[in-house]
Amino acid sequence: FTAYMIAAAFAERQSANSALDAEQERALVTLQSLGEGIISTRADGRVYFMNSIAERLTNWHADDARGRPIEEIFPLAFAGNKHSPSEPENTVRHCLRRGAGPELLSRRLLRDRSGKLRPVEGAITLVNSPDGKLFGGVVVFRDVSEAEQLRERLLKLGARVLVSVRRVVLHLPHSFSYLSTFHRIALALGADTG
């Protein structure tokens, strides 16, 4: 009877492990298929997981990044200062240290492994156990290069439109003067100006 109980407990544990493995596989497939970069860290700020989008945007392979400090893999600079090597304190590290989140990432530049800067936006949130113990953090981010380029083009176009409107407005008094002169000449010649 004891051998039967041990075998049944073992079979039940194997079944539970298989279900857990299948659930973990589904979670990983889901994280890999999202269209945004995802980096998760442990509580100490070391990278634990990266999806393929995060690999592409940071220029780091997940296996090479695993265990490295988040500052090394995800170095950020404020978008207003492209010459700044990084934020005073990495936003992810700051959230982990404070134990507070979520934190929005806006107007940031990500310096990838090769040194290329790219504008990114996203959010950082902390992962806690049910009893409140900090497990780590998750960064979800996206490349906003195209949106920034479009924004720059629209700003330049807007500036050109304003210059053109200003020129027209500045010349309106002269234009009315010319129109008034033209109208008087046309009347003198007997033209119907109505």
Side-chain angles (χ1 to χ4, degrees):
F1 180 75
T2 304
Y4 173 76
M5 294 289 284
I6 292 173
F10 182 74
E12 185 176 316
R13 183 172 183 181
Q14 275 188 316
S15 176
N17 283 342
S18 293
L20 181 60
D21 289 344
E23 191 62 34
Q24 285 178 335
E25 181 66 25
R26 276 192 291 278
L28 284 175
V29 167
T30 300
L31 291 175
Q32 288 292 357
S33 67
L34 294 175
E36 296 182 323
I38 298 174
I39 301 175
S40 65
T41 71
R42 294 188 179 101
D44 65 0
R46 296 192 174 272
V47 172
Y48 177 73
F49 170 82
M50 290 174 64
N51 71 356
S52 59
I53 303 293
E55 287 180 324
R56 181 175 53 80
L57 295 177
T58 62
N59 206 13
W60 278 89
H61 190 276
D63 291 337
D64 296 333
R66 190 171 294 114
R68 292 184 182 265
I70 187 65
E71 298 89 346
E72 184 179 350
I73 307 306
F74 194 69
L76 296 172
F78 291 108
N81 186 0
K82 293 182 180 185
H83 304 292
S84 172
S86 64
E87 296 177 315
E89 179 180 29
N90 183 280
T91 306
V92 180
R93 176 71 68 182
H94 180 73
C95 286
L96 289 168
R97 188 176 51 73
R98 279 189 356 216
E103 178 92 16
L104 293 178
L105 293 175
S106 62
R107 310 271 311 141
R108 297 294 204 293
L109 294 169
L110 169 64
R111 186 179 307 278
D112 74 12
R113 191 175 189 180
S114 69
K116 178 183 175 189
L117 290 171
R118 93 176 58 241
V120 295
E121 291 182 350
I124 303 163
T125 191
L126 301 180
V127 179
N128 295 307
S129 67
D131 63 355
K133 181 181 176 194
L134 178 65
F135 279 153
V138 176
V139 183
V140 179
F141 63 102
R142 67 188 159 283
D143 181 351
V144 293
S145 296
E146 288 181 18
E148 284 294 313
Q149 289 169 357
L150 178 60
R151 181 179 167 274
E152 289 297 320
R153 286 197 313 246
L154 288 173
L155 285 174
K156 287 178 184 174
L157 177 62
R160 286 199 313 257
V161 167
L162 284 175
V163 167
S164 297
V165 167
R166 184 170 181 249
R167 283 184 188 145
V168 168
V169 168
L170 288 175
H171 291 93
L172 275 177
H174 302 297
S175 298
F176 286 131
S177 173
Y178 294 134
L179 285 174
S180 176
T181 303
F182 176 74
H183 183 69
R184 282 195 307 266
I185 293 170
L187 286 174
L189 296 174
D192 181 16
T193 60

